Amino acid sequence: MEQAENSTIPTQDTMDSQPDENGNKEAKQTLAESLEILKSYDPKSHYAVDSYIDAQDSFSSWRVGKILEINNDFLKINFDGWSHKWDENIHKNSSKLHPFKMKTPPYTGGNKAAIRNFEFESSRGILIEMIKQLKYFSSQKFDGEDPYLITQFLRGELYVFMDSVMSVNTLIPDPSDVKLIHELFITYLDMFVEYLKQIRSLLRIYIEGRLLN
């Protein structure tokens, strides 16, 4: 496939020269500040129990990991979708650790099925809170929200929960629970539509952030 003539990767300079159709002057003014935050970002400052992280297992495969414990300079990692017998203690400065979703695809669990301690009956309250959180993000249009926390929730906690729900092997007998699950998926789609509406104003920050790597 031939590349179109004059095709270039947009940079901060080229995007600043384009007309701002939405009149989003505030986004342009805060771009430099946002990039400074990205440059000074230290992923280790976000290490916390129950948060997600990219971790390399003993077979050198990158997998979604969850921090179970923090003992001095070591993190106890459970690899999502795998038995606890594969848990590892990894030094916080190890090259086997990367910020969440820098190295991993959405799913890195077992090939046949994910091994998780999931029971829907005990997770109903979590489901309700997730619906509330998704509605909040949509109503706020992601304005002022911490990107790290959004990533942890949407690509970590929410993804694992939704994948677990879809992997349940038994029927869910209570119609009200089925209605809740339906509401969760619909609310997620509504949130994603709102995200797509906001993505243009965030595109410059994303591109410049990727160039930092």
Side-chain angles (χ1 to χ4, degrees):
M1 182 179 295
E2 296 182 1
Q3 186 175 8
E5 294 183 5
N6 301 325
S7 175
T8 58
I9 298 175
T11 64
Q12 182 177 350
D13 293 335
T14 58
M15 298 189 79
D16 282 347
S17 65
Q18 297 175 0
D20 195 345
E21 298 175 0
N22 295 329
N24 196 348
K25 296 180 181 179
E26 183 178 350
K28 187 177 293 185
Q29 292 173 351
T30 58
L31 176 60
E33 297 176 4
S34 299
L35 293 176
E36 285 302 315
I37 293 175
L38 287 172
K39 292 176 183 177
S40 61
Y41 172 71
D42 180 11
K44 291 188 290 294
S45 65
H46 287 289
Y47 290 165
V49 173
D50 290 334
S51 65
Y52 291 90
I53 191 172
D54 284 0
Q56 203 172 34
D57 65 15
S58 56
F59 298 94
S60 299
S61 296
W62 285 100
R63 304 195 182 277
V64 172
K66 189 173 185 179
I67 300 176
L68 301 180
E69 300 175 9
I70 300 178
N71 297 311
N72 297 320
D73 290 334
F74 285 85
L75 310 181
K76 185 175 182 179
I77 304 295
N78 170 251
F79 298 103
D80 178 56
W82 295 89
S83 167
H84 282 287
K85 74 177 182 179
W86 300 108
D87 291 357
E88 287 192 37
N89 290 297
I90 303 176
H91 195 279
K92 67 179 184 180
N93 294 327
S94 172
S95 60
K96 295 178 66 175
L97 299 176
H98 261 69
F100 185 45
K101 287 305 168 188
M102 287 289 290
K103 293 284 188 179
T104 57
Y107 178 76
T108 60
N111 294 329
K112 294 184 178 180
I115 300 175
R116 301 190 185 108
N117 295 325
F118 178 82
E119 293 182 0
F120 185 81
E121 287 295 322
S122 60
S123 303
R124 188 178 294 107
I126 297 175
L127 190 157
I128 294 172
E129 289 302 314
M130 286 184 171
I131 292 173
K132 292 179 180 178
Q133 188 68 56
L134 289 170
K135 290 181 177 178
Y136 172 79
F137 284 146
S138 295
S139 66
Q140 297 298 310
K141 303 182 186 301
F142 301 93
D143 184 40
E145 300 300 323
D146 186 330
Y148 172 83
L149 296 179
I150 291 177
T151 301
Q152 284 285 316
F153 175 71
L154 294 180
R155 304 185 69 185
E157 184 180 356
L158 180 66
Y159 175 86
V160 170
F161 186 87
M162 294 175 76
D163 184 66
S164 299
V165 168
M166 292 188 293
S167 302
V168 172
N169 294 323
T170 57
L171 293 176
I172 299 175
D174 192 333
S176 62
D177 288 339
V178 176
K179 184 178 179 180
L180 272 177
I181 294 172
H182 178 264
E183 184 179 359
L184 175 66
F185 280 84
I186 294 300
T187 306
Y188 171 79
L189 292 176
D190 289 342
M191 182 277 305
F192 188 70
V193 169
E194 187 59 48
Y195 169 78
L196 292 178
K197 292 178 181 178
Q198 302 300 318
I199 193 64
R200 182 183 181 278
S201 64
L202 303 174
L203 187 57
R204 284 174 295 182
I205 297 176
Y206 172 78
I207 292 174
E208 294 294 333
R210 294 294 296 179
L211 292 176
L212 292 177
N213 296 327

